[in-house]
Amino acid sequence: MEEQKLKSVFELLASAGSAILDVYASDNFNEEMKADNSPVTRADKASSKLINTGLKSLFPSVPVLDEENIIPAFEERLKWKHYFLVDPLDGTKEFIKRNGEFCINLALINGTEPEEGWIYQPLAETGWYCKKGEGIVEFRKDGSFRTIEKKENQSELIRIATSRSFFKPREAELIEKIKREFEVEILHCGSSKKQVQMILGNADMYLKAGPCSEWDTAPGQLMVEEFGGTVFRQDNFEPVRYNKPHMKSPHFVMLNARLNTPGFVQFLKTIIQE
């Protein structure tokens, strides 16, 4: 992506973040329940409208697949070589709870894999951008940016990031099995903040054994893999891929580079299969 358009995407995400914060500061979220029993607010809708309008203006030939819009039929999506995958407000439950743990997720998908990804945290006015093979950049609403260096946990402690609002019994079960062999610290947080914690060196693993969709993970997966980590399905241990017939993601494991070793991966596969 050329530099000027990339800058425009940064500005677009910051604008969407400001629209989200306008609603966050109000006393009117207009909360509704969608068909899948997940919440949506007028902040989701405002962010979605801004991002879709902006992307279609900047990249008129690239389709946009947005959580808040009608999902095109798989037969149509199969024809797409590239497309943008958007979650205009990742962490709506956290937004409603006013705990600040919400993000905007954006990924450019090439076939079935993320090629570029953005995660933006409106309250922090800070985001992270990755292009496959070119590292990770932190960008801010004020226009500044810096390259992120990979950091690794130097202790034996394994820090596991888990969902705050969606922590499931299966996740607790797997963590208990890990605790048999390793010292563990749990980090509960919402939205893509879990993946951000991994790329900033504050978490080593993210376990997911509950509801999740493709737009929840695409940019974070790209960033974790960019720093030498891995993201694999719990059912067949294959990499997580995108543009499937349905938009739900399988249960998965994200590991940073320190844990992405044959020995630890085999340990995880063993306890998952027990």
Side-chain angles (χ1 to χ4, degrees):
M1 186 175 296
E2 62 184 71
E3 184 176 345
Q4 186 54 50
K5 284 195 173 181
L6 182 59
K7 181 181 177 182
S8 295
V9 174
F10 291 169
E11 293 171 349
L12 177 61
L13 294 177
S15 295
S18 295
I20 289 171
L21 293 182
D22 285 344
V23 179
Y24 194 62
S26 76
D27 57 1
N28 178 17
F29 287 2
N30 275 7
E31 180 185 346
E32 303 171 14
M33 298 305 291
K34 297 189 288 188
D36 63 359
N37 206 35
S38 64
V40 63
T41 70
R42 65 186 182 96
D44 299 73
K45 296 174 183 179
S47 175
S48 174
K49 183 177 181 180
L50 277 168
I51 292 172
N52 277 259
T53 300
L55 290 177
K56 288 173 183 175
S57 174
L58 290 167
F59 309 95
S61 65
V62 182
V64 179
L65 197 161
D66 183 317
E67 178 185 8
E68 303 308 331
N69 294 339
I70 295 173
I71 305 300
F74 182 57
E75 292 73 20
E76 179 182 345
R77 291 188 278 116
L78 273 176
K79 302 172 186 176
W80 297 350
K81 181 178 179 181
H82 287 89
Y83 69 96
F84 284 108
L85 181 61
V86 183
D87 188 342
L89 178 50
D90 179 33
T92 302
K93 283 194 173 183
E94 315 307 330
F95 178 89
I96 293 169
K97 293 176 182 177
R98 295 183 184 271
N99 65 20
E101 296 185 342
F102 51 87
C103 301
I104 300 171
N105 293 342
L106 172 64
L108 178 64
I109 306 295
N110 181 352
T112 62
E113 301 181 31
E115 183 176 272
E116 297 183 57
W118 299 256
I119 299 174
Y120 184 74
Q121 291 186 354
L123 276 174
E125 297 186 343
T126 303
W128 295 267
Y129 164 72
C130 178
K131 183 174 183 180
K132 190 172 184 177
E134 297 187 11
I136 302 174
V137 171
E138 180 182 280
F139 63 94
R140 296 187 59 81
K141 184 179 179 180
D142 64 11
S144 63
F145 63 91
R146 66 185 182 96
T147 300
I148 298 296
E149 301 296 334
K150 183 170 73 173
K151 297 179 182 178
E152 292 191 10
N153 182 7
Q154 300 300 315
S155 73
E156 294 299 316
L157 182 71
I158 294 177
R159 302 161 303 175
I160 303 176
T162 63
S163 298
R164 185 177 297 282
S165 293
F166 295 94
F167 189 56
K168 297 299 180 181
R170 176 58 173 165
E171 295 164 2
E173 177 189 346
L174 291 174
I175 289 171
E176 287 304 311
K177 291 179 179 181
I178 295 171
K179 285 181 177 179
R180 297 174 191 167
E181 303 292 334
F182 300 94
E183 186 179 355
V184 168
E185 177 182 306
I186 305 300
L187 175 64
H188 289 286
C189 50
S191 72
S192 293
K193 187 175 178 182
K194 294 177 285 293
Q195 293 101 302
V196 172
Q197 293 301 311
M198 289 187 67
I199 66 170
L200 295 181
N202 300 322
D204 305 299
M205 179 192 305
Y206 170 28
L207 285 170
K208 185 65 177 179
C212 191
S213 299
E214 292 190 4
W215 41 72
D216 295 317
T217 58
Q221 175 175 348
L222 176 63
M223 294 179 194
V224 168
E225 292 176 341
E226 184 71 9
F227 274 176
T230 187
V231 183
F232 61 84
R233 302 169 57 128
Q234 291 187 32
D235 55 355
N236 60 14
F237 307 118
E238 294 294 322
V240 172
R241 292 293 178 251
Y242 297 84
N243 206 11
K244 303 186 298 298
H246 56 83
M247 302 305 296
K248 297 299 181 185
S249 291
H251 297 177
F252 61 83
V253 177
M254 288 188 177
L255 301 176
N256 67 0
R258 183 173 76 98
L259 298 184
N260 185 21
T261 64
F264 190 80
V265 170
Q266 185 55 52
F267 163 73
L268 281 181
K269 290 178 179 180
T270 299
I271 66 171
I272 288 169
Q273 291 174 321
E274 287 179 352

